[in-house]
Amino acid sequence: MAGKCKLAVLISGSGSNLQALIDAAVANSAPFRVVGVISDKPDAFGLQRAASAGIPATVVAANEHAGRDNYHDALAKAVDALQPDLVILAGFMRIIGGRLIDDYAGRMLNIHPALLPKYKGLHTHQRCLDSGDPVHGSTVHFVTAELDGGPPVVQAMLTVAADDDAESLARRVLALEHVIYPMAARWFAEGRLRLGNGHVELDGVAIDAPLVLSDETLVA
Ligand code: GRF
């Protein structure tokens, strides 16, 4: 790709992962830049983050596009308009469908707050606690048509503490996400990370399992 890798970031809420990407792009002269933000919620705080950073933002609200197909079309058009090299789902609370899945195959990442394949879907922190799982974390993965099921790239793992509740776990997981998501974006932008034949390739080597980094490594 010519110049910096262009990221389109899709959000629904706080956008703290968006912020981590914006900060990484500025602070470390990263090989990527955020060219646009798309939210399905007009009141998402992440839109303010985009405005503060001078990044164009668009709202594609579900209630303005009746029916799932129409919504997916509108979303695809908004993404296309940004001409991104990489689409980043950062707390985007809608299932991606329609032509976006094929058009951006191998060029769309999601972050899910669990050690996939455990706890796909919602309420991951509480479900982890309810299972008595000793470890928890987050996963960056390529997006496919299977919800939270695309090939995983990197995971951040932490040890669940005796006094953790869903809120503290969410906070601890989020802090790790802010490290691994910009990391994965950088790998992609540098051409080190790609999806080939459904397999994740890192530095030219196909990996069957994601890279797992522990919280001790990630947060000094
Ligand atoms: C993150 O925990 C992410 O894993 C999940 O939604 C949350 C988004 O947080 N998909 P934020 O909007 O980036 O602060």
Side-chain angles (χ1 to χ4, degrees):
M1 67 196 79
K4 292 198 179 201
C5 176
K6 294 185 283 173
L7 311 188
V9 184
L10 275 57
I11 60 163
S12 296
S14 156
S16 68
N17 278 289
L18 163 67
Q19 190 68 56
L21 289 159
I22 293 171
D23 293 347
V26 173
N28 307 330
S29 59
F32 59 78
R33 64 194 176 95
V34 180
V35 294
V37 171
I38 299 170
S39 172
D40 65 324
K41 298 266 189 302
D43 58 351
F45 181 66
L47 290 169
Q48 292 182 41
R49 298 182 191 270
S52 303
I55 296 168
T58 318
V59 175
V60 184
N63 59 9
E64 288 169 11
H65 305 276
R68 197 180 283 187
D69 290 350
N70 287 334
Y71 186 74
H72 288 156
D73 279 353
L75 195 59
K77 281 188 187 127
V79 172
D80 288 346
L82 297 171
Q83 298 187 287
D85 299 302
L86 179 65
V87 179
I88 295 253
L89 308 182
F92 187 66
M93 299 304 284
R94 292 193 167 271
I95 294 172
I96 298 287
R99 68 174 173 83
L100 271 180
I101 293 281
D102 292 328
D103 288 359
Y104 291 90
R107 296 193 292 143
M108 194 186 301
L109 294 175
N110 181 42
I111 193 158
H112 181 73
L115 296 172
L116 290 170
K118 289 191 278 191
Y119 316 125
K120 294 179 179 180
L122 300 174
H123 311 301
T124 59
H125 309 304
Q126 190 57 52
R127 285 159 64 204
C128 168
L129 290 168
D130 293 347
S131 307
D133 206 329
V135 291
H136 190 42
S138 186
T139 307
V140 176
H141 65 93
F142 279 102
V143 174
T144 62
E146 192 193 335
L147 181 66
D148 299 329
V153 174
V154 57
Q155 293 185 320
M157 189 175 75
L158 55 74
T159 303
V160 178
D163 59 353
D164 263 322
D165 57 17
E167 206 176 303
S168 67
L169 271 186
R171 199 169 48 243
R172 293 175 63 206
V173 165
L174 210 49
L176 301 180
E177 293 187 335
H178 299 162
V179 182
I180 61 168
Y181 220 0
M183 191 183 278
R186 171 179 281 274
W187 291 339
F188 185 91
E190 291 173 340
R192 297 174 56 194
L193 169 67
R194 62 184 291 271
L195 190 66
N197 282 333
H199 291 283
V200 173
E201 288 176 17
L202 199 51
D203 293 329
V205 179
I207 54 171
D208 291 332
L211 202 70
V212 182
L213 303 170
S214 76
D215 53 348
E216 285 124 44
T217 330
L218 290 169
V219 183

